[in-house]
């Protein structure tokens, strides 16, 4: 992944989280149980938070292109968004309970993304 691709993906995922939130609030409100709707909304919220984190990584990476930790962090955030939010969307829309068991894997990837971003900061030399 490159810094520019990271920024582009973050922008697309951020926009999709807004669209997903609106879809959930309007189209799904009458279709899903309150619990399933809350699960869907949690997915959109975490997708937005981590889209912003991915955007930050891309912007920092543009400024410090030789710091490879930004690449690792970007991949961790992207994988985390796909698995964490994706499993919550699937769970809420399909009711397939096993998808709930996959969600923590995505959460772990998001945590690793934050740790890698911290590592990128600590690897900076003055």
């Amino acid at each position: 992944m490159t810094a520019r691709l990271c920024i582009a993906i973050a922008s697309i995922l951020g926009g999709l989280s807004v669209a997903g939130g609106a879809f959930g609030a309007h189209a799904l409100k009458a279709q899903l149980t309150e619990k399933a709707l809350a699960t869907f909304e949690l997915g959109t919220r975490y997708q937005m938070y981590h889209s912003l984190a991915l955007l930050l990584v891309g912007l920092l990476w543009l400024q410090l292109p030789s710091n490879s930790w930004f690449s690792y962090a970007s991949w961790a955030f992207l994988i985390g968004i796909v698995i964490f939010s994706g499993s919550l969307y699937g769970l809420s829309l399909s009711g397939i309970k096993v998808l709930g068991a996959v969600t923590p894997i995505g959460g772990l990837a998001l945590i690793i993304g934050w740790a890698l971003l911290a590592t990128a900061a600590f690897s900076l030399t003055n």
Side-chain angles (χ1 to χ4, degrees):
M1 185 177 314
T2 65
R4 288 190 169 114
L5 181 58
C6 181
I7 293 167
I9 290 171
S11 301
I12 291 166
L13 289 174
L16 287 174
S17 71
V18 173
F23 180 68
H26 300 290
L28 296 178
K29 192 169 188 172
Q31 307 299 319
L32 298 179
T33 65
E34 193 171 307
K35 183 178 179 181
L37 189 59
T39 299
F40 189 89
E41 290 174 350
L42 181 65
T44 61
R45 191 167 49 250
Y46 271 72
Q47 182 175 332
M48 178 55 82
Y49 294 156
H50 292 91
S51 295
L52 293 172
L54 191 57
L55 178 64
L56 173 66
V57 168
L59 293 172
L60 289 169
W61 196 1
L62 281 177
Q63 298 302 310
L64 302 160
S66 64
N67 191 326
S68 60
W69 291 107
F70 292 123
S71 175
Y72 307 140
S74 69
W75 280 108
F77 282 132
L78 178 58
I79 291 166
I81 291 168
V82 169
I83 295 174
F84 185 87
S85 293
S87 65
L88 291 178
Y89 297 146
L91 174 63
S92 63
L93 295 172
S94 71
I96 299 172
K97 302 288 184 197
V98 72
L99 291 173
V102 175
T103 306
I105 297 168
L108 180 60
L110 295 172
I111 293 166
I112 290 169
W114 287 108
L116 291 168
L117 183 55
T119 302
F122 285 120
S123 72
L124 299 175
T125 57
N126 291 333

